Amino acid sequence: MFSSKESFKVALTERLEKKFGKDAKDASPIEIYQTIGTLVKEKMNKSWVETNKHYLKNEEKQVYYFSMEFLLGRLLESNLLNTGTLTTVKDALIELGMDPEEIFEQEHDAGLGNGGLGRLAACFLDSLASLELPGHGCGIRYKYGLFQQKLIDGHQVELPDYWLEEDYVWEVRRSDKAIGVRFGGNVNPEFIDGRLTFHHTNYETVMAVPYDVPIVGYENQTVNTLRLWSAESTTNDFNFHSSNRNDYYKYLEYKRSIESISEFLYPDDSYFEGKLLRLKQQYFLVSAGVQSIIKMFKEKYNNDLRKLPEKITMQINDTHPSLVVPELMRILMDEEGFGWDEAWAITTETVAYTNHTTLSEALEKWPVSLVQQLIPRIYMIIEEINERFCQMLWFDFPNLREKIPQMAIIAYDQVHMAHLAIVGSFSVNGVAKIHTDILIQKEMKDFYTVYPNKYNNKTNGITHRRWLLNANPKLAELITDTIGKRWISQPKELIGLLKYASDPSFQEKVRNVKQDNKRKLARLIKDQCGITVDEHSIFDVQIKRLHGYKRQLMNIFHIIHLYNVLRENPNLDITPRTFIFGAKAAPSYYFAKEVINLIVTAANLINNDPVVNNKLKVVFLENYSVSLAEKIIPAADVSQQISTASKEASGTGNMKLMMNGALTLGTLDGANVEIKEMVGDENIFIFGLTAQEVLNYYQFGGYNARHIYNSDHRIRTILDQLVNGFFNKDEYEFKDIYYNILSNNDEFFVLKDFDSYIEAQEMVDQNYRDQNNWLKKSITNIAHSGKFSSDRTISEYASEIWRLSPVHV
Ligand code: 26V
């Protein structure tokens, strides 16, 4: 049906008639979207069945990627691209008088993630399937994804994201594969036939029902599976013969409490809160996932679980799924009869752990009482792991004896999930070189002494298919016209563009594409915010979660500074600029919300001031999401990656933006360091403290923010404007930002880096004036971006951690 436009049109028309009783003319865009989705899904189903058959009979190793988040975004366009049907479908729709983009827009983003960590998981799935690697995702089917952000009078308001309101065309419910997960109850040790066994009673069973989403590879026959678990109660639990009317109400309440487990995604990725429901979610994911893997494994390998490490790796995405370790131990010992030592060997050779942050506020430490009460048998196993680990330290590492309280898995009435993950896995990796170095040299130094061989780096990546081929079709086409299409399967081939970097005719073409994309974004900004921006100005973009360490505050301070300078001297020769923000704040992150308020307030003032109007515009685009990113990134000239050095583990937006020709303005943090290594100093704008300098300040002190306030008049002016009514708001509107900087001594070194940031910004301004030179830099960035394809990252995971080989379907 996808072999030609004509056959597709016939299939679409027939299916619309069958499904909605309408012909193509009368059908609504959403009906058309759903119908195409269903058709593509059916096309994928054939390969899905084939792939699963291969995986069942083939004994190659498989990987399971456990993650609390998969930030998929939309799937129709990328599924069409990967199945090689995008052009046919687009052309056919146009011939039918429809706008393909309007149809794609109908799809609700699957927003099952907060930001970088969840989007990384989604990029990894795309690369696994595209490289024909047998790798699957294991996650939760939250009923509500990440909240929708509305801005009301500069304030963020959160609305629920009910993404399942319309049928989700990509999923298949598999009730036959449902699995019970046990919570609570009592555990009693008992000797049976001379063997210590554990009897679990009075527990509550939650049914985990999988919904499978097919993950299709790029122009191959591989269709892997993302399995998302949903929590349900069983009606079996209800006593139909009860004569007590209250039983019915009790039952409904009980049902609700069970379903609440997969109700919503926790929207805060900035600091850890020991919430019982979150722990329930984690164990729910882990237990359902591990049980189902073991069940399949036993069927395939004749119950020989000793083969587990040779055939399977369970990769855990941050510590959130680290209960995989005790859960696998539980199954191996309590259900499969293994002794401790053998179970431990199997477990620790099967599990691998990726760390995504060194921020201490985000580290998971669960109160012992909570774990004990919710998952008593798991707690007992963690206790035993801890006991043995501490013993080992005591006897084998006498030099670390006094460090035992800091290294223990259970200490001071808390369970340290990172320690559990390190001890219970065979691989620990960071997500960019500098991040891994910091883990080894600082955050996990003592663990590194004990397990030096576990540590390795895997610098993050992004799928160039979504972020270049799909999001920026004109640039992709130009690249293909210039160097051929091999870069699509071998992204490192983008390096072939280097020899055109100074070619005026190629530069001109790149410039036209960028200009087109900017025009489109300018239209979107006009539609959504009513702001007219100069499409020839520099589009300077900072899009990411709002967080103190990401320093959106420094960006807006610089904008206010520019505004001050221009008001003093309206004729000052600056290159016109449009500053574009997109950012969600965690609902209870007060400071982050204040920063949003400041950005929007400053934007209103600046955008409405005729004195600076043709030179400066500030835009805050509401509800930043994967699909919005796809519109902003192709239009960006400048990519702001300005985190306090040492704080951003990697960043992935930096990679998406460079791949689309934006120049990075950034600190030496996360993957910026490697971007700089690739493109060279002259093709990136670096400023600010180094990670080592920041870490030294934290350790030894010596930074005084007030000192800078007193000595730098530019900074003093800006800070004073926060509290003197300059923004025509209540004088106290921004006092918390003011005090945060001055009384809390500016935790993220905004003032300290400000001077070098202004300097770097001036460099951007100067450089943009020489368009040929700018385009040369831009092309050089695109040419070097191949390294940051997640195909490279996944190949490294596959060969260095998983020992995984492709399975050709
Ligand atoms: C933490 C928490 C804390 C408790 C509640 C929910 C929640 C959800 C997510 C997180 C994860 C924080 C870690 C994280 O997202 N790290 C980011 O990972 C990206 C992919 O490796 C990386 O590019 C970013 O630099 C890093 O901040």
Side-chain angles (χ1 to χ4, degrees):
M1 76 186 92
F2 290 95
S3 54
S4 71
K5 285 182 285 183
E6 292 318 313
S7 57
F8 170 73
K9 284 193 228 167
V10 172
L12 177 64
T13 316
E14 277 176 9
R15 190 58 68 90
L16 275 170
E17 202 176 280
K18 235 191 252 169
K19 206 170 162 189
F20 297 105
K22 289 184 178 177
D23 61 19
K25 276 201 313 299
D26 300 329
S28 68
I30 179 103
E31 288 165 344
I32 291 167
Y33 156 71
Q34 286 199 335
T35 308
I36 302 175
T38 311
L39 294 173
V40 185
K41 168 89 182 328
E42 285 169 10
K43 179 179 159 70
M44 287 156 56
N45 277 347
K46 206 166 145 54
S47 308
W48 203 7
V49 172
E50 270 316 297
T51 306
N52 282 330
K53 270 196 212 152
H54 267 72
Y55 289 168
L56 211 61
K57 65 169 198 281
N58 190 298
E59 299 212 342
E60 284 293 342
K61 193 171 179 184
Q62 305 201 19
V63 72
Y64 290 88
Y65 197 80
F66 277 77
S67 179
M68 289 288 281
E69 309 192 1
F70 287 91
L71 189 44
L72 298 172
R74 293 180 176 141
L75 289 183
L76 178 56
E77 200 178 349
S78 59
N79 283 343
L80 288 171
L81 177 87
N82 285 8
T83 50
T85 52
L86 182 60
T87 317
T88 312
V89 169
K90 269 184 164 174
D91 291 348
L93 288 175
I94 292 169
E95 284 181 18
L96 287 168
M98 299 170 191
D99 171 9
E101 263 182 59
E102 189 195 354
I103 305 295
F104 299 154
E105 293 268 319
Q106 301 305 311
E107 181 170 2
H108 199 121
D109 273 40
L112 309 184
N114 272 282
L117 169 139
R119 183 55 232 174
L120 184 77
C123 284
F124 279 5
L125 293 181
D126 184 75
S127 285
L128 279 164
S130 296
L131 297 171
E132 302 191 314
L133 290 166
H136 310 283
C138 187
I140 295 180
R141 182 182 180 267
Y142 302 104
K143 195 163 157 194
Y144 296 91
L146 185 65
F147 64 86
Q148 308 259 3
Q149 178 193 55
K150 282 253 169 278
L151 292 175
I152 297 181
D153 196 21
H155 297 279
Q156 167 176 298
V157 173
E158 302 87 23
L159 300 177
D161 172 51
Y162 188 37
W163 69 295
L164 293 168
E165 188 168 357
E166 306 285 343
D167 281 350
Y168 188 56
V169 297
W170 307 111
E171 68 182 6
V172 183
R173 179 184 161 94
R174 303 242 189 252
S175 7
D176 57 316
K177 297 262 190 311
I179 275 180
V181 176
R182 296 173 176 187
F183 288 100
N186 315 94
V187 178
N188 299 306
E190 226 180 294
F191 270 99
I192 302 180
D193 298 336
R195 196 189 134 87
L196 185 62
T197 52
F198 293 86
H199 223 70
H200 195 181
T201 52
N202 296 326
Y203 51 79
E204 181 176 89
T205 301
V206 174
M207 289 316 291
V209 182
Y211 285 72
D212 287 352
V213 179
I215 306 293
V216 62
Y218 179 72
E219 292 191 344
N220 62 32
Q221 295 307 311
T222 299
V223 181
N224 289 334
T225 301
L226 166 59
R227 177 158 283 185
L228 298 174
W229 296 95
S230 175
E232 293 185 8
S233 61
T234 49
T235 28
N236 304 345
D237 300 333
F238 183 63
N239 178 5
F240 288 99
H241 304 294
S242 165
S243 52
N244 185 345
R245 284 186 307 161
N246 277 332
D247 281 359
Y248 177 64
Y249 296 107
K250 271 199 202 131
Y251 172 71
L252 289 181
E253 220 169 89
Y254 161 77
K255 187 169 146 66
R256 253 208 69 73
S257 83
I258 293 222
E259 286 166 4
S260 72
I261 295 176
S262 55
E263 186 92 348
F264 76 98
L265 166 84
Y266 272 87
D268 191 334
D269 63 354
S270 48
Y271 105 114
F272 172 73
E273 244 185 320
K275 284 270 190 349
L276 179 68
L277 182 57
R278 169 85 180 170
L279 183 61
K280 272 192 191 170
Q281 292 185 331
Q282 295 187 348
Y283 184 64
F284 173 76
L285 163 70
V286 158
S287 182
V290 178
Q291 286 190 66
S292 82
I293 292 168
I294 296 295
K295 195 161 167 237
M296 287 186 291
F297 190 90
K298 284 172 68 182
E299 282 163 19
K300 181 169 170 185
Y301 291 103
N302 210 0
N303 296 323
D304 187 1
L305 285 163
R306 285 182 183 84
K307 279 196 178 142
L308 198 65
E310 183 197 323
K311 298 297 177 193
I312 277 180
T313 296
M314 302 183 195
Q315 185 73 41
I316 57 175
N317 200 20
D318 217 290
T319 56
H320 319 150
S322 45
L323 291 172
V324 160
V325 174
E327 175 66 0
L328 185 52
M329 287 296 284
R330 180 190 71 78
I331 295 172
L332 291 173
M333 294 189 302
D334 296 3
E335 291 178 11
E336 304 296 335
F338 284 94
W340 182 278
D341 291 333
E342 212 175 355
W344 184 243
I346 295 173
T347 301
T348 52
E349 284 165 36
T350 301
V351 180
Y353 155 57
T354 306
N355 174 285
H356 294 266
T357 185
T358 55
L359 297 185
S360 53
E361 328 71 279
L363 292 184
E364 294 194 295
K365 290 181 244 169
W366 291 102
V368 160
S369 58
L370 219 61
V371 183
Q372 219 166 7
Q373 164 211 328
L374 187 72
I375 35 179
R377 177 62 185 134
I378 293 297
Y379 181 73
M380 292 168 79
I381 293 170
I382 298 175
E383 258 188 332
E384 185 67 25
I385 297 173
N386 180 50
E387 186 64 31
R388 288 171 187 243
F389 170 63
C390 294
Q391 291 259 357
M392 185 275 285
L393 285 180
W394 181 267
F395 289 111
D396 299 351
F397 294 88
N399 293 340
L400 289 176
R401 279 183 187 172
E402 77 239 39
K403 298 276 179 65
I404 293 178
Q406 285 110 272
M407 296 177 76
I409 297 166
I410 304 174
Y412 308 108
D413 269 335
Q414 289 177 317
V415 182
H416 292 243
M417 302 308 258
H419 301 178
L420 176 63
I422 298 167
V423 174
S425 61
F426 69 88
S427 164
V428 179
N429 76 281
V431 290
K433 274 189 208 156
I434 188 175
H435 169 60
T436 303
D437 287 347
I438 292 173
L439 290 180
I440 289 177
Q441 286 158 22
K442 187 165 177 286
E443 301 300 325
M444 296 179 176
K445 190 163 178 258
D446 297 327
F447 284 97
Y448 180 71
T449 313
V450 179
Y451 306 114
N453 299 329
K454 288 189 185 184
Y455 282 82
N456 64 94
N457 175 58
K458 295 286 164 285
T459 299
N460 281 166
I462 55 163
T463 166
H464 59 289
R465 287 167 289 275
R466 173 177 295 263
W467 294 106
L468 175 51
L469 210 49
N470 259 336
N472 200 345
K474 294 213 170 96
L475 182 60
E477 197 185 320
L478 173 58
I479 294 171
T480 300
D481 288 347
T482 312
I483 60 168
K485 59 178 259 196
R486 265 177 61 90
W487 68 273
I488 299 172
S489 52
Q490 304 290 328
K492 281 211 170 126
E493 301 262 322
L494 284 170
I495 201 70
L497 291 174
L498 217 46
K499 65 169 187 278
Y500 301 93
S502 303
D503 174 345
S505 97
F506 185 66
Q507 286 183 352
E508 186 58 24
K509 289 176 191 159
V510 171
R511 181 189 163 103
N512 288 338
V513 168
K514 183 64 83 183
Q515 202 48 58
D516 256 19
N517 294 335
K518 285 169 77 171
R519 192 169 309 128
K520 254 176 119 174
L521 181 60
R523 224 176 296 137
L524 181 143
I525 291 171
K526 180 78 191 167
D527 290 348
Q528 296 203 350
C529 322
I531 302 171
T532 308
V533 303
D534 172 5
E535 61 188 52
H536 295 289
S537 63
I538 303 175
F539 277 22
D540 180 324
V541 166
Q542 190 178 18
I543 41 175
K544 47 186 78 255
R545 282 301 284 260
L546 213 138
H547 199 295
Y549 82 80
K550 295 181 190 277
R551 298 200 291 194
Q552 282 92 350
L553 185 62
M554 188 164 72
N555 189 351
I556 193 65
F557 276 5
H558 168 254
I559 296 168
I560 296 168
H561 164 68
L562 274 184
Y563 179 56
N564 290 338
V565 173
L566 276 173
R567 281 186 350 133
E568 286 247 316
N569 179 5
N571 296 323
L572 191 76
D573 179 26
I574 72 158
T575 312
R577 238 200 262 207
T578 302
F579 290 94
I580 298 166
F581 291 86
K584 285 180 180 175
S588 54
Y589 194 167
Y590 173 77
F591 176 76
K593 291 182 150 180
E594 282 299 293
V595 174
I596 292 181
N597 186 208
L598 177 61
I599 296 170
V600 176
T601 304
N604 280 337
L605 183 69
I606 296 169
N607 296 341
N608 294 308
D609 188 338
V611 173
V612 298
N613 234 247
N614 49 5
K615 294 193 176 146
L616 211 53
K617 281 278 160 71
V618 186
V619 175
F620 191 108
L621 282 166
E622 203 169 61
N623 201 33
Y624 180 60
S625 59
V626 173
S627 52
L628 185 56
E630 287 164 4
K631 299 188 177 102
I632 300 172
I633 290 170
D637 295 308
V638 176
S639 155
Q640 292 222 34
Q641 309 298 336
I642 59 178
S643 52
T644 310
S646 80
K647 296 281 180 184
E648 188 70 272
S650 159
T652 44
N654 44 2
M655 303 169 182
K656 294 164 197 166
L657 282 151
M658 90 177 282
M659 193 175 269
N660 283 275
L663 304 198
T664 305
L665 164 61
T667 48
L668 284 176
D669 201 16
N672 298 352
V673 176
E674 287 156 79
I675 293 179
K676 172 178 169 285
E677 265 171 30
M678 295 302 292
V679 302
D681 294 359
E682 65 284 11
N683 297 304
I684 189 166
F685 304 96
I686 296 290
F687 72 94
L689 293 171
T690 62
Q692 197 53 58
E693 287 167 338
V694 170
L695 294 172
N696 285 345
Y697 275 125
Y698 283 134
Q699 194 175 350
F700 305 113
Y703 173 50
N704 187 335
R706 197 170 280 276
H707 205 85
I708 300 184
Y709 169 83
N710 287 330
S711 58
D712 188 328
H713 71 279
R714 302 165 303 183
I715 286 175
R716 199 169 51 245
T717 308
I718 299 162
L719 280 171
D720 289 350
Q721 283 168 337
L722 296 179
V723 289
N724 67 9
F726 176 77
F727 292 103
N728 308 324
K729 288 229 170 170
D730 186 324
E731 273 177 33
Y732 297 107
E733 187 94 6
F734 303 115
K735 71 172 190 324
D736 293 309
I737 296 178
Y738 179 88
Y739 286 118
N740 187 288
I741 296 285
L742 290 179
S743 306
N744 291 352
N745 201 31
D746 182 20
E747 189 187 348
F748 299 111
F749 300 94
V750 172
L751 303 196
K752 180 79 189 162
D753 275 349
F754 198 62
D755 182 59
S756 67
Y757 180 55
I758 292 182
E759 226 173 86
Q761 284 284 21
E762 279 166 4
M763 286 292 286
V764 169
D765 180 300
Q766 290 302 323
N767 271 269
Y768 196 79
R769 293 165 191 234
D770 180 352
Q771 273 294 296
N772 292 96
N773 202 26
W774 183 274
L775 283 158
K776 180 179 169 198
K777 293 179 197 299
S778 168
I779 296 164
T780 306
N781 269 269
I782 302 168
H784 284 291
S785 67
K787 162 171 173 163
F788 300 103
S789 163
S790 45
D791 287 5
R792 188 267 311 149
T793 314
I794 283 297
S795 304
E796 289 176 4
Y797 274 90
S799 66
E800 294 162 22
I801 303 180
W802 304 332
R803 312 216 175 278
L804 205 62
S805 310
V807 172
H808 182 68
V809 180

